[in-house]
């Protein structure tokens, strides 16, 4: 009984192969990886101020500044490592190893933060966390694209969006509650338990392309089908050789009628095949420079709009992460638990992310309208935040209702953006299959998106925090609403292709 596939190709199939390589299990593993990575980032947030004072020995005057610096370091590492992780993942044959490396970085980060009694350990821990998130997000999205077909991609990426948002919002909530009732090490006990489960799931998982030789054709992913089709076509060509020679031999009775034409056509075919093989070998062995691959993606107006929309999504989420706890503390006099629970109404609507992704798969031309409509709808919702001004039950209910509506808008925004990145890569590769070299650029595209999210996570707290501190809560609300509303215009015009351009063959064909 074998646990994993071997390289010789002659072994028996690994145990529980169909389940371990199934689409549903791979989607679950990737979503859990993203959820765990993001959750552990937020889990430490409520612990940080007290730990910096009691364990590191910083004065209370320096707690706030160093808390902000550590958050910024996480975002900076995420921003710097995301494109690099995506490019390297595309050059590596297996997605499994980058995911394991990301897990090792996450475990190292958690251990450094757990035992950290010096500020340098906290800095290193946050940097490792950012690097881990860069790898997990970019490689995880690329693995889903490898595993599911184009017709199911939106729904699969919707699950990732749901996991990410629940991790972002659930981390501070769980961290605050556990720290208040269980203490410092109880928070890290939960972190290490989640990492242990993550290790187990990633070891169990088998990629579709390695399981393809044992699976029925109907269960092979789109990439696996392409590989099998190529192998079958090569086998057909090779098997056709003897029969062709036999047919020629049977026609030897009429050599003058057949031989000249056959000889001439064979020379032409042989010459074209040699040129094609040489060109193919050259293009697949020499991939483009990383900067050239990035510039190729950024040359697409669709990719630029996707990056901007994802930046705005991150900015909106992290803006609230920065100002909302302080605002409910000042207005409603809520403690640490209440400050964490206020994010629940914002998080619950993201359970519909997979449904939005399913709608995107069924009606791909509606993608631009879903995303742009979601951004336009955020404007009145965010503006109405200004009406929450006093400590009353009516105002508390109003704030929770507005947060739930905003969460629903963002839930309709995320899946179309995530899917668009893969469509851009597929479209470019259909026009020129070797444009990104061997390995493609799927992980790179999601690495760039991840960098945009990181940039938004850096800008958001400063944007919202500075405006609220200098001009007040009401001004902060309409400033954020203005930013999301204006961003809806380019999304409407360019997501999925230019709005006024003929829509012939805008969508890439299915990889299958």
């Amino acid at each position: 009984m074998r646990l994993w596939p071997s390289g010789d190709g002659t072994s028996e199939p690994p145990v529980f192969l169909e389940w371990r390589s199934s689409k549903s299990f791979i989607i679950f593993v990737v979503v859990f990886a993203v959820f765990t990575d993001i959750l552990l980032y937020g889990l430490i947030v409520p612990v940080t101020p007290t730990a910096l004072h009691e364990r590191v020995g910083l004065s209370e005057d320096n707690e706030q500044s160093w808390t902000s610096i550590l958050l910024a370091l996480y975002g900076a590492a995420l921003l710097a490592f995301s494109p690099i992780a995506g490019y390297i993942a595309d050059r590596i044959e297996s997605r499994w190893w980058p995911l394991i490396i990301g897990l090792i970085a996450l475990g190292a980060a958690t251990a450094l933060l757990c035992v950290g009694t010096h500020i340098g350990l906290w800095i290193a821990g946050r940097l490792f966390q950012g690097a881990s998130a860069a790898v997990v997000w970019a490689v995880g999205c690329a693995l889903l694209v490898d595993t599911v077909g184009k017709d199911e991609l939106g729904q699969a990426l919707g699950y990732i969006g749901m996991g990410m948002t629940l991790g972002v919002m659930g981390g501070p909530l769980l961290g605050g509650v556990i720290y208040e009732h269980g203490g410092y090490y109880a928070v890290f006990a939960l972190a290490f338990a989640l990492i242990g489960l993550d290790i187990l799931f990633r070891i169990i998982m088998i990629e579709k392309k390695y399981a393809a030789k044992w699976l029925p054709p109907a269960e092979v992913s789109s990439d696996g089908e392409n590989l099998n089709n190529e192998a079958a076509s090569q086998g057909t060509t090779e098997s056709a050789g003897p029969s062709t020679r036999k047919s020629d031999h049977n026609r030897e009775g009429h050599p003058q009628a057949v031989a000249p034409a056959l000889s001439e056509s064979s020379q032409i075919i042989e010459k074209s095949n040699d040129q094609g093989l040489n060109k193919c070998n050259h293009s697949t062995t020499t991939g483009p420079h990383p900067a050239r691959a990035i510039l190729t993606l950024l040359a697409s107006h669709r990719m630029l709009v996707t990056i901007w929309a994802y930046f705005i999504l991150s900015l909106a989420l992290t803006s609230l992460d920065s100002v909302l706890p302080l605002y409910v503390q000042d207005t409603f006099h809520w403690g640490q638990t209440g400050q964490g629970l206020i994010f629940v109404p914002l998080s619950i609507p993201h359970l519909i992310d997979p449904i939005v992704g399913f709608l995107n798969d069924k009606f791909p031309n509606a993608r631009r309208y879903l995303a742009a409509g979601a951004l336009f709808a955020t404007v009145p919702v965010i503006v109405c935040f200004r009406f929450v001004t006093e400590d009353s039950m009516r105002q508390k209910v109003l704030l929770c209702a507005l947060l739930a509506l905003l969460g629903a808008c963002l839930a309709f925004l995320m899946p179309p953006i995530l899917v668009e990145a893969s469509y851009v890569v597929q479209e470019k590769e259909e026009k020129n299959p070797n444009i990104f070299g061997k390995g493609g650029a799927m992980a790179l595209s999601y690495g760039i998106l991840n960098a945009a999210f990181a940039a938004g996570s850096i800008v958001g707290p400063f944007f919202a925090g500075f405006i609220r501190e200098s001009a007040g809560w009401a001004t902060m609300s309409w400033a954020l609403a203005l930013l999301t509303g204006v961003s809806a215009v380019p999304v409407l015009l360019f997501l999925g292709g230019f709005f006024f351009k003929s829509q012939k063959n805008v969508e890439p064909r299915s990889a299958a």
Side-chain angles (χ1 to χ4, degrees), residues 108-138:
T110 307
L112 288 171
L113 295 173
C114 180
V115 302
T117 55
H118 188 275
I119 191 62
L121 296 177
W122 280 80
I123 292 174
R126 278 307 194 186
L127 290 175
F128 273 114
Q129 272 192 332
S132 170
V135 174
V136 169
W137 179 254

Side-chain angles (χ1 to χ4, degrees), residues 91 287-288 293 296-297 425 428-429 432-441:
R91 308 278 79 80
T296 301
L297 288 174
V425 174
K428 287 187 175 293
E429 288 181 335
N432 183 359
N434 300 313
I435 188 171
F436 297 115
K438 185 178 181 180

Side-chain angles (χ1 to χ4, degrees), residues 42-55 63 67 113-114 122 126 171-172 174-176 178-180 183-188 336:
L43 197 68
I44 315 300
V45 170
V47 178
T48 302
T50 306
L52 290 177
H53 175 64
E54 296 180 356
R55 295 176 61 83
E63 285 181 13
T67 300
L113 295 173
C114 180
W122 280 80
R126 278 307 194 186
L174 287 176
I178 294 174
Y179 182 61
E180 185 174 353
Y184 180 82
Y185 288 106
V187 175
F188 286 95
Q336 197 171 41

Side-chain angles (χ1 to χ4, degrees), residues 95-115:
R95 308 288 191 193
W96 190 86
W97 281 109
L99 284 175
I100 291 295
I101 293 173
L103 177 61
I104 293 173
L106 180 61
T110 307
L112 288 171
L113 295 173
C114 180
V115 302

Side-chain angles (χ1 to χ4, degrees), residues 234-288:
Q234 291 176 358
T236 303
T237 303
E238 292 174 357
S239 62
S243 63
T244 303
R245 289 191 294 271
K246 182 178 180 181
S247 176
D248 296 341
H249 177 74
N250 291 337
R251 281 181 275 183
E252 284 180 356
H254 305 280
Q256 293 178 351
V258 178
L262 186 61
S263 176
E264 183 179 354
S265 62
S266 299
Q267 291 175 2
I268 294 173
I269 294 172
E270 185 175 349
K271 182 178 180 181
S272 63
N273 285 345
D274 290 341
Q275 291 176 349
L277 286 173
N278 291 335
K279 183 177 179 180
C280 181
N281 290 336
H282 176 73
S283 60
T284 56
T285 54
T286 58

Side-chain angles (χ1 to χ4, degrees), residues 62-83:
N62 294 326
E63 285 181 13
Q64 182 61 59
S65 60
W66 270 106
T67 300
S68 301
I69 290 172
L70 291 172
L71 291 175
L73 286 173
Y74 173 89
L78 187 61
L79 178 64
F81 279 95
S82 291

Side-chain angles (χ1 to χ4, degrees), residues 122-446:
W122 280 80
I123 292 174
R126 278 307 194 186
L127 290 175
F128 273 114
Q129 272 192 332
S132 170
V135 174
V136 169
W137 179 254
V139 179
C141 289
L143 178 59
L144 284 192
V145 175
D146 295 342
T147 302
V148 304
K150 175 177 174 288
D151 295 338
E152 302 175 1
L153 184 57
Q155 186 175 11
L157 291 175
Y159 283 111
I160 277 197
M162 178 184 68
M164 185 196 72
T165 306
L166 293 178
V168 169
M169 300 304 173
L173 170 61
L174 287 176
V177 173
I178 294 174
Y179 182 61
E180 185 174 353
H181 296 91
Y184 180 82
Y185 288 106
V187 175
F188 286 95
L190 175 62
F192 285 117
L194 290 173
I195 292 174
L197 285 175
D198 211 349
I199 292 174
L200 179 63
F201 293 147
R202 293 194 207 184
I203 290 177
I204 292 174
M205 183 190 72
I206 298 176
E207 292 181 63
K208 277 281 188 181
K209 57 186 175 183
Y210 295 114
K213 58 186 175 183
W214 292 294
L215 294 176
E219 298 184 19
V220 180
S221 68
S222 58
D223 283 356
E225 288 175 355
N226 289 336
L227 291 174
N228 289 340
N229 290 338
E230 290 177 6
S233 64
Q234 291 176 358
T236 303
T237 303
E238 292 174 357
S239 62
S243 63
T244 303
R245 289 191 294 271
K246 182 178 180 181
S247 176
D248 296 341
H249 177 74
N250 291 337
R251 281 181 275 183
E252 284 180 356
H254 305 280
Q256 293 178 351
V258 178
L262 186 61
S263 176
E264 183 179 354
S265 62
S266 299
Q267 291 175 2
I268 294 173
I269 294 172
E270 185 175 349
K271 182 178 180 181
S272 63
N273 285 345
D274 290 341
Q275 291 176 349
L277 286 173
N278 291 335
K279 183 177 179 180
C280 181
N281 290 336
H282 176 73
S283 60
T284 56
T285 54
T286 58
H289 190 272
R292 184 178 301 175
I294 293 174
L295 291 176
T296 301
L297 288 174
L298 296 182
S300 168
H301 57 267
R302 292 173 61 183
M303 191 67 185
L304 290 176
V305 168
T306 304
I307 291 170
W308 175 255
Y310 207 50
F311 169 81
I312 294 299
L313 173 65
S314 172
L315 186 145
L317 287 173
T318 55
S319 293
L320 294 176
D321 199 20
S322 172
V323 301
L324 195 56
L326 294 176
Y327 187 72
V328 297
Q329 181 184 24
D330 296 338
T331 306
F332 302 147
H333 311 292
W334 285 355
Q336 197 171 41
T337 302
Q339 294 172 35
L341 290 173
I342 193 59
F343 288 102
V344 172
L346 186 64
S347 304
I348 289 178
H350 284 274
L351 294 174
I352 68 172
D353 277 358
I355 300 176
V356 177
F358 174 78
L359 293 175
N360 179 84
D361 294 333
K362 298 296 288 185
F363 309 101
N365 292 330
R367 185 166 66 256
R368 72 168 78 240
Y369 304 108
L370 284 175
L375 284 170
F376 279 126
T378 61
V379 176
V381 174
I382 298 176
V383 168
C384 286
F385 282 162
R386 65 189 296 117
F387 299 122
V388 180
T389 56
E390 60 185 28
D391 185 9
S392 67
M393 182 58 66
R394 179 178 298 178
Q395 298 277 287
K396 295 173 183 176
V397 172
L398 175 61
L399 179 60
C400 291
L402 291 173
L403 289 173
L405 288 174
L406 179 59
C409 293
L410 298 181
F412 275 90
L413 174 62
M414 183 176 291
I417 295 174
L418 294 178
V419 172
E420 180 73 2
S422 69
Y423 286 171
V424 171
V425 174
Q426 290 179 24
E427 185 182 76
K428 287 187 175 293
E429 288 181 335
E430 283 187 353
K431 293 179 179 178
N432 183 359
N434 300 313
I435 188 171
F436 297 115
K438 185 178 181 180
M442 196 60 71
L444 176 62
S445 67
Y446 284 107

